[in-house]
Amino acid sequence: MKTQYRCTDCGLTFKLEPNLMVCPSCSKGQKPDEPLVGVLEVEYEGKIEADFQIIDFLPVEKEFFPPIPVGNTPLWEPKNLRSQLGFSNLYFKDDSSNPTSSFKDRASYLVSAFAKKHGINEIVLASTGNAGSSMAGIGAAQGQDITIFLPKAAPPAKLIQAQQYGAKVILVDGNYDRAFDFSLAYSKVKGGMNRNTAYNPMTIEGKKTVSLEVFKDLGCAPDYVFVSTGDGCILAGVYKGYKDLLKMGLIESIPIIYSVQSEGSDALYRAFNSKDGKFVNTPTATIADSICVDVPRNGYHALKQLKEFGGKVITVADVDIIKAQKDLSTSTGLFTEPAGATAYAGFLKAMNELPKDATIVVMTTGNGLKDVATASKGVDPLPTPINSINEI
Ligand SMILES: *Cc1c(COP(=O)(O)O)cnc(C)c1O
């Protein structure tokens, strides 16, 4: 299929090139502490039939992808939870079963292939933890050199995971936003492909595959999708998948998407509810580290999509996230990290406004084992070890 980039702000089109990240004209006005302007989306011309393969719907040929099985994650049908809550068509799309245990593999996979196609062997990025460990793992499979900028407070499991895969890990004395700026500065000086979320158009494009898979599994689009949101890149990816399906005439409408944020990191929620749609840069803090961002990098674009397609933004408190994580583990056997459980906490908060027979997909985006320190807050501490079963 014929492909091109289209700027989500001005509508100008460009050729797909490895050194083109954001719209050259719109990004001239980019301020350092605001969301990205001039985010590019891949546009397709041609025809796709309902029995398409996911690869048919991606802008890089099969031979450039690394040999690591990304995507095709399971769609759970939680029987007990369905009857307990009364939602007969509730599903979980569990992306913790990706090779590096998070949703981020969808983006890393396409970025890796795109870099390979253009003979680029170094990839640089900033991450709260998952994007880094993901790019490290996918890069290991492809044989690429990966350099990661991580905030010093990143959960140890994610950091060590990235080191295990052989990536160069640089800890930043600051938060994710600072790591983002450092990584941009580094790749400008040292070269390599930058995989920063939303900045590299292949991140949104790779993430869209989740919607294509859900469509293939259900045979239609769901009515509602719940997704946790930090930078708003997964959100945009989810929309992109359904937009592509709509354009090809395979679905009739875009699902209602609920973007769920933590109350402690709710920049998109505040912008969504403000009159001018402006993002205010305030320091954030949440136990859901994967969605802890001061400035959502894909904020403007995410906001535009939500407004255009009737999406919603809701927030949940950290205590509700911890509780939702434990409830989900106990009622379904699906143990997801706090950012993954945030989408479920959002569903629990919003469910009274949803029809009971609606088809609802809640996305769980990362594995619970990635941050056991937070997971331990949801369970009782164990008593002292026993010496006899009479002590139980
Ligand atoms: C990155 C991430 C998110 C949020 O994605 P954004 O594109 O930043 O909104 C949610 N959950 C997990 C587990 C993640 O790693």
Side-chain angles (χ1 to χ4, degrees):
M1 263 198 304
K2 234 186 104 210
T3 53
Q4 60 181 4
Y5 282 144
R6 185 178 292 278
C7 174
T8 57
D9 284 325
C10 72
L12 278 181
T13 58
F14 305 91
K15 217 173 138 246
L16 265 61
E17 283 184 273
N19 52 3
L20 180 64
M21 293 284 147
V22 283
C23 171
S25 115
C26 291
S27 64
K28 280 200 192 103
Q30 178 75 57
K31 295 189 198 79
D33 62 349
E34 69 168 352
L36 291 166
V37 284
V39 170
L40 302 176
E41 273 191 349
V42 180
E43 202 171 72
Y44 295 82
E45 260 169 55
K47 186 83 195 110
I48 288 266
E49 302 296 335
D51 61 351
F52 65 87
Q53 303 285 311
I54 302 284
I55 191 80
D56 301 338
F57 235 141
L58 290 174
V60 180
E61 296 75 12
K62 199 172 178 177
E63 72 249 41
F64 299 109
F65 285 84
I68 184 166
V70 171
N72 287 315
T73 58
L75 191 63
W76 290 44
E77 303 187 25
K79 259 197 187 160
N80 295 343
L81 196 62
R82 281 177 173 183
S83 53
Q84 191 187 313
L85 301 176
F87 285 89
S88 47
N89 296 305
L90 174 66
Y91 295 88
F92 289 97
K93 178 68 170 165
D94 182 37
D95 261 70
S96 62
S97 65
N98 271 307
T100 79
S101 308
S102 89
F103 187 99
K104 298 292 194 289
D105 285 355
R106 295 182 183 276
S108 304
Y109 194 49
L110 182 59
V111 169
S112 171
F114 189 54
K116 173 96 175 173
K117 177 171 174 171
H118 294 281
I120 298 169
N121 205 48
E122 188 183 5
I123 299 175
V124 179
L125 75 155
S127 166
T128 60
N130 279 339
S133 50
S134 166
M135 195 67 247
I138 307 283
Q142 182 84 285
Q144 287 161 329
D145 297 329
I146 311 298
T147 303
I148 307 167
F149 291 80
L150 283 179
K152 62 180 173 189
K158 298 180 181 181
L159 201 154
I160 290 160
Q161 190 186 6
Q163 288 183 297
Q164 271 287 332
Y165 294 132
K168 181 170 165 192
V169 175
I170 298 163
L171 281 185
V172 174
D173 188 9
N175 60 6
Y176 167 63
D177 298 80
R178 194 156 194 223
F180 195 98
D181 295 339
F182 280 1
S183 75
L184 282 187
Y186 179 91
S187 53
K188 275 195 184 124
V189 177
K190 306 261 176 158
M193 179 174 281
N194 190 292
R195 180 226 180 270
N196 279 4
T197 200
Y199 180 67
N200 186 321
M202 293 301 158
T203 54
I204 294 176
E205 192 60 16
K207 288 174 178 185
K208 82 172 184 186
T209 55
V210 73
S211 299
L212 305 182
E213 288 175 17
V214 167
F215 166 79
K216 278 172 104 47
D217 282 348
L218 295 176
C220 60
D223 300 313
Y224 299 93
V225 179
F226 284 78
V227 53
S228 57
T229 302
D231 277 319
C233 187
I234 296 185
L235 181 73
V238 170
Y239 271 123
K240 180 61 168 46
Y242 292 115
K243 283 196 299 183
D244 280 359
L245 290 167
L246 188 71
K247 191 175 171 194
M248 295 295 164
L250 298 173
I251 60 171
E252 278 160 20
S253 61
I254 304 280
I256 304 283
I257 298 179
Y258 276 79
S259 157
V260 190
Q261 295 208 288
S262 162
E263 281 174 2
S265 181
D266 62 347
L268 183 64
Y269 174 81
R270 283 182 278 120
F272 186 82
N273 291 303
S274 71
K275 286 211 177 69
D276 57 3
K278 286 259 174 352
F279 285 80
V280 183
N281 183 358
T282 39
T284 54
T286 166
I287 48 107
D289 64 286
S290 300
I291 50 172
C292 189
V293 304
D294 294 354
V295 180
R297 295 299 159 164
N298 199 38
Y300 291 140
H301 178 221
L303 194 59
K304 218 168 164 179
Q305 305 285 285
L306 288 160
K307 296 275 183 193
E308 185 175 348
F309 299 110
K312 314 211 183 259
V313 190
I314 58 175
T315 59
V316 291
D318 275 3
V319 287
D320 297 325
I321 296 172
I322 291 170
K323 192 171 173 305
Q325 180 185 37
K326 171 70 167 59
D327 286 355
L328 186 64
S329 299
T330 305
S331 61
T332 64
L334 202 170
F335 176 32
T336 185
E337 67 166 270
T342 302
Y344 180 56
F347 166 72
L348 292 176
K349 185 170 178 181
M351 68 180 181
N352 290 336
E353 56 193 62
L354 307 178
K356 294 270 175 173
D357 60 350
T359 302
I360 301 163
V361 174
V362 177
M363 292 173 41
T364 50
T365 39
N367 192 300
L369 293 172
K370 279 181 171 268
D371 181 9
V372 287
T374 302
S376 72
K377 297 195 168 101
V379 298
D380 296 330
L382 289 169
T384 45
I386 60 163
N387 287 300
S388 139
I389 59 164
N390 296 331
E391 295 173 37
I392 299 169

